[in-house]
Amino acid sequence: MREVILIKNGELVLKGLNRNTFEDVLIKNMKRALKEIGEFKFTKSQSTIMVAPVDEETDLDDAVEALSKVFGIAALSRAAVTEKDIKAIKSTALSYLGEKLEEAATFKVEAKRSDKKFPLKSPEICRELGGFLLSKFHHLKVDVHNPDIIITVEVRDTYAFIRGNNIKGAGGMPVSTSGRAAVLISGGIDSPVAAYMMAKRGIELISVHFASPPYTTELAERKVMDLLHKVAAYSGPITTYVVPFTELQEQIREKCPEEYFTLIMRRYMMRIAEILAKRQNCSALITGESVGQVASQTIYALGCTDSVTTMPVFRPCIGMDKEEIIKISRKIDTFETSIQPYEDCCTVFTPKHPKTRPHMDEIENAEEELDSAALIERAVKNVRKTVIK
Amino acid sequence: MCAYLDNSATTKPLKEVADKVYEMLSDTFGNASSFHKLGLDANAEVRRAREMIAKALSCDIEEIYFTSGGTESNNLAIFGAVQANRRKGKRIVTTAIEHESVLQACDELEKQGYEVIRITPDSKGEITEKQIFDAVNSDTILVSIMYVNNEVGTIMPVKAIRKAVSRAHAPALIHIDCVQAFGKLDVKPSKLGADLVTITAHKVHGPKGVGALYVRKGVRILPRTFGGEQEKKLRPGTESSPLIAGFGKAVELFPDIKAQSEKIKEINQYAREKLSAINGVKINNTPAASDYILNVYIPAFMTSQTIVQHFSSQYGVYISNGSACAKGKKSHVLTAMKLSDKIIDKSVRISFSGNTTKADIDALVQAVSETVEKYPV
């Protein structure tokens, strides 16, 4: 028996003439997600892409798990391929879904007949197959409203497909159909969520992390890499820059007013991130900021950080409550890692009473005290680059 | 010559494992939760071990919790799951031939008012899918069944548990004790449909005193011990980094499971053939059982305990009388299989590992045949 995975495209089907391009990117991303699982063939037809393993031994559980994290897929399902013959449909349904039917207490059969020449009409297919399965599994009952399993028979041009329940896809748009952006990642709860949300809209990610040894530890940096690894399961590989930030932070601490420490630090982070982002042909920056969450995230403070870059800064968490952000972080499995208690560069130099309504002229005056160009140049020169998969 | 055929009791640690444990004790001795270099180094070793084990189970590293071994993992799984599910139902389903650490834990819960269903095996030590379906109802909060029985090697139909739980719409967590299966069969928890899986190091050429509990992501169980932040507070206490690193090393050096199974199958068949040829000897377990375990009735004028001692002192052949954890108590597994006391008293367990050779079997066969001849019933 041949088994395939059927992919229902998300909003891609709404695209016009460039739909093909979007689908090709989606297929490329699926191939990458499946690389370690096996070799697959991809066939497009209408709003469905059929993913068929080349080797029948390939583990489709693993394949479905990997594909459920690929953006641009609304729903996916495993299906058995069979001949367009009601006898074959019955026996395939029995052998293919037998295990699942043993798990279920109730079921329902649905049929779709795009080949109108098939001798049985859809309700007849349902009746035939339903009756047959009832005769084979005595514990089963039919429930058309709220069944444990819905068995769908699709009679198409060349084959019939038999499948069980649909699995929800990751939604969104295929990664890299919307360009590239650089995410500033700290190790907290918000920035991985922001990265995930933008990747979901089809943006390819690079990331920038600021490390301040000896004020921050190896563990803090490893935590960031762990977080990126989890995001990469959705977004694909993330080129990551670790920026040595110690000198800059020490200079800020020495020469600037304490109440502006964080804000000035944020401004330098944005400047450096923008340089690295341009180097990687990115068109935007991404941060995990949310209005009012901390002093540096008041709208006045955000205005001051934004003014140092010319790139648009995307903040997908901006209007979300912490609880809402945490909900997503749990879903993408970054929460447990994010809450590991290691010092990061944002927590080390926190002022006692940060300015919540900063004045731009005071900030600019304070920055005058620093040899900005040289400090930025040294930081950028000494970045470490790794690719997180 | 020494023929070590008691691998279900414990295995000989690999040299690399012993070296790793020694190195951790003598050099990398920091507390794995300390922030200094010695601590970070120990922490990195613990993490590496976690990665190795997660890879062997095809799960995430966050799903692995280190414990002191199989007994602790089983207790944590059972009490932790029942405690977390206590308001959802009253029934616990297990079998009559589980390891002591599961049976005793369930006995204790029964005293606390839970309803414990113990599925009994047939005379071959097997239980059926239907028995599992019949036992699980919508009030069931835990199903705990071992994958491979430690005395007679029965491979249990554990994949039916998920089906039974789904069909009954039960709130049950599924615990599978994989101590005797790990490293021998495919024990991917996702394939088994398990929420909780017990494994231990010393059955796979690792050190004693360390094991792990797999807890599926999203599944909540409550701790049995209370203390620090280690193992996400589910199992607090300073990580036993030397033993954990040794466990990781043993798993890292796992041979190819399929190739080893082939070899063991051959050894098992060889042993079955040779032993059955001896007058009066009977094999208690079926060929359908795990190839790693033989349970054999030896018709000599000795009890199983004396047979074990006699074999080791006279022949250098190491076998066991039932489970080592029972310390000589009458086997509850053979009793549940309704074998006669006469058979149970003289039955021994012979268990193989990747190191076992045909020469070991020849030594065993010689010991059995000479003993049966010299000391007839």
Side-chain angles (χ1 to χ4, degrees):
Chain A
M1 182 181 53
R2 208 152 67 85
E3 193 182 7
V4 298
I5 300 171
L6 299 175
I7 303 290
K8 299 278 179 204
N9 299 346
E11 53 183 275
L12 286 190
V13 290
L14 303 175
K15 300 287 167 203
L17 293 175
N18 49 5
R19 181 170 139 190
N20 245 332
T21 328
F22 280 88
E23 282 181 346
D24 289 344
V25 174
L26 176 59
I27 290 175
K28 201 181 106 199
N29 292 349
M30 288 197 280
K31 273 187 189 158
R32 188 178 56 211
L34 294 172
K35 209 169 85 188
E36 290 191 358
I37 297 163
E39 202 187 323
F40 293 83
K41 256 181 69 182
F42 298 79
T43 321
K44 294 188 263 184
S45 91
Q46 292 155 343
S47 65
T48 306
I49 298 173
M50 187 173 87
V51 183
V54 172
D55 176 359
E56 284 195 5
E57 297 284 289
T58 308
D59 191 329
L60 288 196
D61 285 349
D62 291 351
V64 166
E65 165 80 22
L67 290 177
S68 70
K69 291 181 176 170
V70 174
F71 292 126
I73 297 175
L76 58 163
S77 58
R78 293 167 70 155
V81 187
T82 181
E83 280 166 48
K84 294 193 324 186
D85 165 71
I86 189 70
K87 260 194 183 160
I89 288 172
K90 280 182 189 170
S91 70
T92 308
L94 181 63
S95 60
Y96 180 57
L97 294 171
E99 295 254 311
K100 288 276 164 216
L101 287 168
E102 283 188 9
E103 269 180 32
T106 55
F107 82 117
K108 170 190 181 181
V109 181
E110 285 181 355
K112 289 179 189 167
R113 189 179 59 134
S114 59
D115 171 15
K116 301 293 180 198
K117 285 190 218 123
F118 190 71
L120 297 177
K121 297 205 178 81
S122 297
E124 290 168 350
I125 300 174
C126 294
R127 253 198 320 273
E128 280 276 328
L129 181 58
F132 172 73
L133 292 173
L134 278 174
S135 74
K136 293 286 172 189
F137 296 93
H138 298 297
H139 72 278
L140 272 185
K141 288 198 178 76
V142 175
D143 180 348
V144 289
H145 300 296
N146 194 17
D148 290 338
I149 178 169
I150 300 174
I151 296 174
T152 308
V153 181
E154 281 186 55
V155 182
R156 294 197 171 214
D157 294 341
T158 38
Y159 296 107
F161 295 91
I162 296 163
R163 56 184 166 85
N165 290 341
N166 265 341
I167 302 149
K168 205 172 172 317
M173 308 258 290
V175 166
S176 92
T177 54
S178 307
R180 293 182 124 190
V183 58
L184 284 78
I185 189 133
S186 62
I189 296 168
D190 306 341
S191 46
V193 170
Y196 159 82
M197 288 174 75
M198 296 319 296
K200 184 174 179 185
R201 295 309 302 164
I203 288 178
E204 187 181 352
L205 300 175
I206 76 157
S207 80
V208 183
H209 173 65
F210 296 87
S212 306
Y215 307 108
T216 60
T217 63
E218 283 169 43
L219 288 175
E221 195 178 316
R222 198 175 75 191
K223 171 179 159 186
V224 169
M225 299 307 153
D226 285 348
L227 288 170
L228 287 169
H229 172 69
K230 299 213 181 248
V231 175
Y234 293 91
S235 69
I238 304 174
T239 299
T240 298
Y241 290 104
V242 179
V243 183
F245 207 51
T246 315
E247 190 191 6
L248 246 161
Q249 281 195 305
E250 283 173 344
Q251 289 281 311
I252 294 170
R253 186 170 177 220
E254 201 184 309
K255 294 179 178 160
C256 302
E258 188 189 331
E259 56 195 10
Y260 280 122
F261 278 0
T262 312
L263 210 47
I264 292 174
M265 180 189 85
R266 297 290 300 165
R267 283 162 60 92
Y268 279 98
M269 285 180 171
M270 297 299 255
R271 289 179 176 118
I272 291 169
E274 186 175 31
I275 292 168
L276 295 169
K278 281 189 178 146
R279 202 188 264 183
Q280 284 284 331
N281 299 320
C282 293
S283 321
L285 299 176
I286 301 168
T287 74
E289 287 152 321
S290 155
V291 168
Q293 198 180 93
V294 290
S296 64
Q297 296 179 19
T298 63
I299 55 170
Y300 317 103
L302 290 174
C304 294
T305 29
D306 252 14
S307 64
V308 298
T309 89
T310 54
M311 277 187 179
V313 182
F314 296 147
R315 299 180 170 93
C317 301
I318 197 76
M320 293 166 76
D321 292 350
K322 198 74 186 181
E323 274 310 308
E324 294 171 299
I325 300 172
I326 287 176
K327 202 173 156 200
I328 299 178
S329 76
R330 284 193 193 276
K331 185 180 125 192
I332 62 171
D333 194 28
T334 52
F335 182 73
E336 293 282 336
T337 310
S338 286
I339 59 171
Q340 289 171 9
Y342 306 127
E343 304 274 5
D344 67 38
C345 61
C346 295
T347 54
V348 182
F349 294 86
T350 314
K352 270 206 188 82
H353 300 290
K355 269 273 194 212
T356 52
R357 286 174 184 260
H359 298 284
M360 192 64 103
D361 50 338
E362 288 178 13
I363 293 176
E364 281 167 355
N365 285 343
E367 285 180 0
E368 294 270 303
E369 299 297 313
L370 305 172
D371 186 358
S372 290
L375 285 166
I376 291 173
E377 198 194 312
R378 272 199 293 279
V380 169
K381 203 180 112 197
N382 293 319
V383 292
R384 274 179 291 127
K385 183 175 148 187
T386 48
V387 178
I388 307 292
K389 285 181 184 160
Chain B
M1 144 114 200
C2 157
Y4 185 78
L5 296 169
D6 196 14
N7 292 285
S8 287
T10 197
T11 51
K12 183 180 178 188
L14 294 166
K15 171 146 194 323
E16 293 89 334
V17 168
D19 288 348
K20 187 76 192 175
V21 175
Y22 182 77
E23 171 206 311
M24 292 291 294
L25 285 168
S26 42
D27 302 331
T28 319
F29 60 86
N31 185 318
S33 299
S34 293
F35 282 86
H36 48 62
K37 186 167 182 322
L38 276 173
L40 293 179
D41 288 351
N43 187 293
E45 290 285 352
V46 169
R47 181 183 165 109
R48 201 164 303 143
R50 212 185 290 278
E51 284 169 354
M52 283 301 152
I53 292 157
K55 199 173 147 205
L57 295 179
S58 303
C59 68
D60 283 345
I61 55 171
E62 289 94 345
E63 295 175 313
I64 303 293
Y65 294 81
F66 286 113
T67 66
S68 64
T71 291
E72 190 192 349
S73 290
N74 282 344
N75 273 270
L76 177 58
I78 291 168
F79 284 98
V82 168
Q83 180 77 358
N85 264 353
R86 67 190 182 281
R87 290 194 186 88
K88 296 183 186 159
K90 275 274 170 235
R91 180 177 283 199
I92 298 162
V93 173
T94 184
T95 78
I97 56 170
E98 296 300 307
H99 186 260
E100 294 287 349
S101 56
V102 170
L103 289 177
Q104 298 289 331
C106 289
D107 287 354
E108 179 56 34
L109 286 164
E110 194 170 42
K111 281 184 209 151
Q112 293 176 15
Y114 292 93
E115 177 199 14
V116 178
I117 306 291
R118 299 176 186 81
I119 300 172
T120 49
D122 61 13
S123 61
K124 290 188 278 181
E126 289 176 340
I127 69 166
T128 63
E129 290 200 4
K130 180 163 184 308
Q131 285 177 295
I132 297 176
F133 276 113
D134 291 346
V136 176
N137 64 2
S138 63
D139 196 40
T140 307
I141 51 173
L142 172 71
V143 182
S144 177
I145 296 181
M146 60 185 8
Y147 196 2
V148 173
N149 179 269
N150 53 319
E151 289 189 42
V152 291
T154 313
I155 299 171
M156 307 281 208
V158 288
K159 286 179 190 164
I161 306 173
R162 175 59 67 194
K163 293 184 204 163
V165 166
S166 302
R167 194 195 286 184
H169 295 281
L173 289 177
I174 296 171
H175 169 236
I176 301 180
D177 173 358
C178 286
V179 164
Q180 296 291 348
F182 185 52
K184 303 182 175 91
L185 297 176
D186 188 358
V187 290
K188 284 183 191 171
S190 59
K191 298 272 177 208
L192 298 178
D195 297 308
L196 304 159
V197 165
T198 294
I199 55 173
T200 195
H202 75 105
K203 313 282 191 198
V204 290
H205 306 283
K208 289 158 191 67
V210 62
L213 181 67
Y214 158 90
V215 182
R216 187 165 63 79
K217 208 161 267 178
V219 164
R220 180 173 153 269
I221 64 168
L222 297 177
R224 295 286 292 155
T225 37
F226 299 86
E229 298 284 333
Q230 297 94 344
E231 303 300 290
K232 290 181 264 171
K233 296 189 103 162
L234 185 61
R235 202 281 191 175
T238 301
E239 299 91 343
S240 176
S241 41
L243 299 181
I244 291 171
F247 189 5
K249 185 51 93 179
V251 173
E252 184 187 335
L253 297 174
F254 266 6
D256 179 59
I257 288 183
K258 264 192 186 160
Q260 182 167 296
S261 299
E262 291 294 312
K263 188 192 144 186
I264 299 292
K265 195 179 184 68
E266 207 175 296
I267 289 203
N268 181 296
Q269 276 164 2
Y270 182 72
R272 272 179 186 269
E273 224 167 86
K274 293 267 175 182
L275 288 169
S276 308
I278 301 167
N279 202 11
V281 169
K282 267 210 248 18
I283 311 249
N284 295 324
N285 57 344
T286 70
S290 162
D291 287 326
Y292 285 82
I293 296 176
L294 277 180
N295 198 292
V296 181
Y297 163 71
I298 297 177
F301 193 66
M302 290 179 181
T303 62
S304 54
Q305 209 177 60
T306 36
I307 294 173
V308 168
Q309 284 170 7
H310 178 68
F311 277 21
S312 73
S313 59
Q314 293 301 308
Y315 299 95
V317 169
Y318 294 80
I319 57 170
S320 85
N321 45 313
S323 156
C325 286
K327 301 241 183 223
K329 255 176 35 193
K330 187 172 138 187
S331 162
H332 67 276
V333 177
L334 301 181
T335 308
M337 287 161 64
K338 301 203 173 64
L339 298 188
S340 69
D341 281 354
K342 184 193 95 187
I343 299 274
I344 296 175
D345 281 348
K346 299 181 192 305
S347 287
V348 295
R349 178 185 66 185
I350 293 147
S351 47
F352 311 130
S353 81
N355 298 337
T356 308
T357 61
K358 281 191 178 168
D360 295 334
I361 305 299
D362 292 336
L364 167 76
V365 169
Q366 188 195 349
V368 175
S369 59
E370 286 184 18
T371 305
V372 170
E373 201 175 309
K374 258 192 188 156
Y375 310 96
V377 206

